[in-house]
């Protein structure tokens, strides 16, 4: 059809920001090197039996702390324009606060300088889940308001030192997972009951840590713009997926709306009056901390663009006992969302029999990003000026059982996902008028996939975790080919076939 031809012929904006992404804990390794303090994620695989699917640790993972120069050389040679990565808080402040670790700072000095030497833009996340362990022992980390000031001090240090190298800042990765990815939940059974919220913390911990995370974000944003005088765009990254109602019933439509309020609305006060969504307030009651007028004013406007980590799509259904009954009962299994989500498989998409073997939450539904970009920027938050897909990616089910490059490099499902996803981003811009200004594929290469360990691979490059050799997969070439067609490759693209195995 003509509209497909229109997309096929279209170009991205000249300044479209694109590249590959990682996070400190998932790629750096060097877990206790050069003065780094422990983080919650260093501890977890060692101290909580069976918390990691394959019982691996992140102690070494892709060893990027030592191999960053060859990794950057490889990015340049592939023609990748930008690299989105995070800074390890406990490398800079080993105790989360207090003395600065000079060796950790030197490492990031060198990393930034090397990225600039390679003409790769740095897109930086200040915090991607690796909370300094000392902040638990001090005050229970994210369930205490003390974390706001410590995060602020850390952020000020990093921003002051590195702002000149950075193209865009993210304060937080996916704040809605604060209670189990960066706070009390994983430690419920092995760390004490901090702040009287009960072991593991439950819902109280979830909305307390969300509260302090949101305030920490807004505090840094305000300082960056008004005191530091920062000019780079700053926001936080939101994890959310497109949702369709499970049926045409009014109840399922309401389940969709409620799910969006929790996924998008909870941390979206920067696009509204700063407050939490009404559905959260009425459902959660005193489980949700109250925002004061001053805090709402701080949160309102605390973002320059919307950053979406959007991987897949879901259906939502109302619970069997109805939304009202669920919302009125804190022990209901579906409380507080009172929406039951399940993965969406679009009709006719060549996904095969079922969901991805390595990540049960993730189905290949790249078509969903097109309506989702419109939904967020036109329907849910009409005040959003522009949107970047800060992460998208796919764990190819075939890869879990392979461990040789000759098999694993043919990641055709991921390649198909990447191509279709990018086509749909472009369609959102060209056909729907969405101001989508960037896209980052997760991940730079295979790495430590949190509770799934080293066995679940999201990389556009294969990484052999023993030899630490990297190889671009078919999906990487698909990704680069797409940008060659619709955008501009980075300056080093001439050597596109060179970076196989070890780059000296
Ligand atoms: C991203 O989150 C993360 O930012 C990144 O670090 C990660 O490597 C990447 O996804 C790939 O997973 O365990 O079944 O209960 C995406 C949002 C939120 C998706 C947590 C998986 C866990 C589902 N993620 N969710 S499950």
């Amino acid at each position: 059809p003509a509209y497909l031809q229109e997309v096929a012929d279209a170009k991205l904006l000249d300044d479209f920001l694109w590249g590959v992404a990682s996070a400190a804990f998932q790629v750096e390794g060097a877990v206790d090197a050069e003065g780094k303090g422990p983080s919650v994620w260093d501890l977890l695989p060692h101290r909580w039996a069976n918390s990691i699917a394959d019982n691996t640790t992140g102690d070494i993972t892709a060893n990027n702390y030592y191999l960053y120069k060859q990794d950057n050389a490889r990015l340049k040679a592939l023609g990748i324009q930008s690299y989105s990565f995070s800074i390890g808080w406990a490398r800079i402040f080993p105790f989360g606060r207090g003395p600065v670790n000079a060796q950790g700072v030197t490492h990031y000095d060198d990393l930034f300088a090397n990225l600039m030497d390679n003409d790769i833009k740095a897109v930086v996340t200040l915090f991607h889940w690796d909370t300094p362990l000392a902040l638990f022992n001090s005050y229970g980390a994210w369930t205490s308001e003390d974390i706001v000031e410590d995060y602020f001090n850390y952020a000020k240090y990093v921003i002051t030192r590195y702002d000149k190298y950075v193209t865009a800042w993210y304060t937080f990765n996916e704040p809605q997972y604060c209670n189990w990815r960066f706070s009390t939940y994983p430690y419920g059974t092995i760390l004490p009951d901090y702040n009287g919220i009960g072991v593991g913390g439950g819902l109280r911990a979830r909305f307390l840590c969300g509260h302090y995370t949101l305030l920490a974000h807004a505090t840094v944003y305000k300082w960056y713009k008004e005191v530091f005088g920062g000019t780079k765009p700053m926001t936080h990254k939101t994890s959310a997926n497109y949702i369709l109602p499970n049926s045409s019933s009014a109840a399922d439509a309401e389940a969709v709306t409620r799910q969006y309020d929790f996924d998008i609305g909870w941390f979206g006060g920067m696009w509204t009056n700063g407050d939490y969504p009404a559905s959260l307030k009425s459902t959660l009651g005193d489980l949700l901390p109250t925002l004061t007028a001053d805090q709402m004013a701080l949160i309102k406007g605390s973002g320059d663009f919307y950053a979406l980590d959007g991987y897949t799509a879901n259906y939502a259904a109302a619970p069997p006992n109805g939304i009202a009954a669920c919302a009125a009962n804190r022990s209901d299994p579906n409380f507080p969302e009172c929406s039951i989500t399940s993965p969406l498989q679009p009709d006719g998409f060549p996904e095969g029999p079922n969901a991805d073997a390595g990540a049960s939450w993730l189905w290949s539904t790249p078509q969903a990003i097109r309506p989702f970009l419109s939904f967020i920027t036109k329907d849910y938050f009409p005040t959003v000026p522009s949107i970047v897909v800060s992460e998208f990616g796919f764990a190819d089910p075939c890869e879990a059982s392979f461990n040789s490059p000759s098999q694993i490099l043919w990641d055709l499902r991921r390649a198909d996902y990447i191509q279709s996803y990018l086509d749909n981003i472009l369609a959102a811009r060209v056909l729907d008028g969405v101001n989508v200004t960037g896209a980052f594929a997760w991940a730079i290469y295979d790495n430590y996939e949190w509770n799934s360990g080293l066995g679940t691979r999201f990389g556009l490059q294969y990484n052999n975790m023993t030899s630490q050799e990297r190889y671009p997969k078919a999906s990487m070439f698909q990704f680069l080919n797409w940008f060659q067609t619709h955008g501009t490759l980075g300056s080093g693209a001439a050597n596109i076939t060179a970076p196989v195995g070890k780059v000296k």
Side-chain angles (χ1 to χ4, degrees):
Y3 77 90
L4 282 180
Q5 194 57 46
E6 200 183 326
V7 175
D9 294 340
K11 296 279 182 204
L12 293 165
L13 301 170
D14 285 344
D15 56 357
F16 193 85
L17 196 61
W18 66 276
V20 290
S22 76
F25 180 71
Q26 296 181 269
V27 301
E28 282 182 353
V31 69
D32 55 1
E34 299 191 341
K36 175 179 168 298
S39 81
V40 286
W41 275 97
D42 302 341
L43 174 74
L44 181 63
H46 288 280
R47 288 296 299 279
W48 189 16
N50 304 319
S51 62
I52 309 298
D54 58 5
N55 285 316
T56 54
T57 75
D59 293 1
I60 300 173
T61 179
N63 211 17
N64 169 269
Y65 189 77
Y66 294 115
L67 300 180
Y68 67 93
K69 283 187 181 161
Q70 57 160 285
D71 283 342
N72 294 345
R74 190 177 290 105
L75 291 183
K76 177 176 183 178
L78 287 165
I80 288 174
Q81 182 215 62
S82 309
Y83 179 39
S84 172
F85 62 99
S86 79
I87 308 274
W89 183 346
R91 282 201 195 281
I92 296 192
F93 293 94
F95 306 102
R97 54 186 177 168
V100 169
N101 170 34
Q103 285 180 290
V105 172
T106 300
H107 169 75
Y108 289 115
D109 289 353
D110 294 345
L111 174 60
F112 278 109
N114 188 258
L115 285 168
M116 297 307 109
D117 286 351
N118 283 293
D119 197 20
I120 297 163
K121 290 181 183 165
V123 173
V124 177
T125 303
L126 289 167
F127 178 79
H128 196 127
W129 302 353
D130 43 0
T131 309
L133 188 61
L135 300 183
F136 277 89
N137 303 332
S138 304
Y139 50 70
W142 297 95
T143 53
S144 165
E145 76 175 309
D146 291 358
I147 196 108
V148 176
E149 190 184 335
D150 287 337
Y151 174 84
F152 185 31
N153 285 329
Y154 158 68
K156 279 191 285 193
Y157 186 91
V158 173
I159 292 168
T160 302
R161 196 167 182 98
Y162 300 122
D163 187 60
K164 61 177 179 284
Y165 301 115
V166 171
T167 297
W169 288 106
Y170 303 125
T171 52
F172 283 92
N173 185 66
E174 303 177 353
Q176 64 264 60
Y177 303 119
C178 63
N179 69 319
W180 67 291
R181 290 303 204 197
F182 59 95
S183 200
T184 57
Y185 168 78
Y187 295 96
T189 54
I190 56 172
L191 288 183
D193 171 15
Y194 294 107
N195 300 319
I197 51 171
V199 172
L203 287 172
R204 183 70 186 149
R206 182 175 167 196
F207 293 98
L208 261 187
C209 69
H211 193 68
Y212 297 131
T213 302
L214 188 58
L215 292 174
H217 158 82
T219 303
V220 168
Y221 182 89
K222 188 181 174 68
W223 169 84
Y224 179 63
K225 297 292 171 175
E226 293 182 11
V227 180
F228 183 79
T231 57
K232 311 297 176 61
M234 177 183 276
T235 192
H236 64 61
K237 295 165 76 189
T238 298
S239 164
N241 295 307
Y242 188 56
I243 310 170
L244 288 178
N246 198 44
S247 77
S248 57
S249 74
D252 286 357
E254 192 185 339
V256 172
T257 307
R258 290 182 63 90
Q259 190 67 46
Y260 279 139
D261 286 350
F262 280 85
D263 293 349
I264 300 177
W266 182 11
F267 292 95
M270 61 173 74
W271 308 114
T272 65
N273 66 349
D275 202 0
Y276 293 123
S279 60
L280 268 68
K281 292 205 284 189
S282 65
T283 303
L284 291 162
D286 63 1
L287 287 171
L288 185 71
T290 305
L291 289 164
T292 65
D294 284 353
Q295 289 169 336
M296 284 190 249
L298 184 71
I299 293 164
K300 181 182 178 181
S302 65
D304 299 311
F305 64 105
Y306 198 95
L308 171 70
D309 292 358
Y311 283 74
T312 189
N314 288 305
Y315 289 112
N321 53 338
I323 288 172
C326 167
N329 176 9
R330 288 183 186 183
S331 23
D332 190 290
N334 297 303
F335 187 89
E337 285 87 346
C338 300
S339 133
I340 300 172
T341 56
S342 53
L344 177 150
Q345 182 180 12
D347 289 344
F349 190 77
E351 170 56 24
N354 51 36
D356 176 349
S360 58
W361 55 274
L362 174 60
W363 289 45
S364 180
T365 56
Q367 304 90 332
I369 192 61
R370 179 179 164 192
F372 198 29
L373 290 170
S374 274
F375 174 77
I376 293 173
T377 58
K378 295 178 183 174
D379 301 332
Y380 201 89
F381 288 136
T383 54
V384 166
S386 63
I387 186 164
V388 167
V389 178
S390 37
E391 285 182 32
F392 69 106
F394 190 64
D396 201 310
C398 307
E399 291 180 67
S401 53
F402 290 162
N403 203 26
S404 90
S406 64
Q407 295 166 306
I408 218 163
L409 298 183
W410 301 101
D411 60 336
L412 300 184
R413 286 191 189 185
R414 180 183 291 108
D416 180 75
Y417 167 101
I418 296 269
Q419 168 88 29
S420 176
Y421 199 108
L422 292 169
D423 284 347
N424 278 281
I425 286 180
L426 191 56
R429 186 177 99 71
V430 177
L431 303 177
D432 308 336
V434 176
N435 189 22
V436 49
T437 56
F440 286 80
W442 184 273
I444 177 176
Y445 39 57
D446 300 331
N447 59 67
Y448 193 76
E449 179 52 23
W450 308 108
N451 297 82
S452 303
L454 293 172
T456 297
R457 296 171 177 273
F458 271 87
L460 273 66
Q461 299 177 83
Y462 166 74
N463 185 41
N464 180 312
M465 302 290 175
T466 308
S467 68
Q468 297 295 351
E469 290 173 294
R470 337 284 203 211
Y471 299 81
K473 300 178 188 176
S475 59
M476 176 64 93
F477 292 109
Q478 193 102 359
F479 182 68
L480 295 169
N481 183 51
W482 195 91
F483 282 100
Q484 197 158 34
T485 308
H486 296 287
T488 324
L489 292 183
S491 65
N495 300 323
I496 196 164
T497 56
V500 171
K502 285 195 167 158
V503 175
K504 294 285 182 280

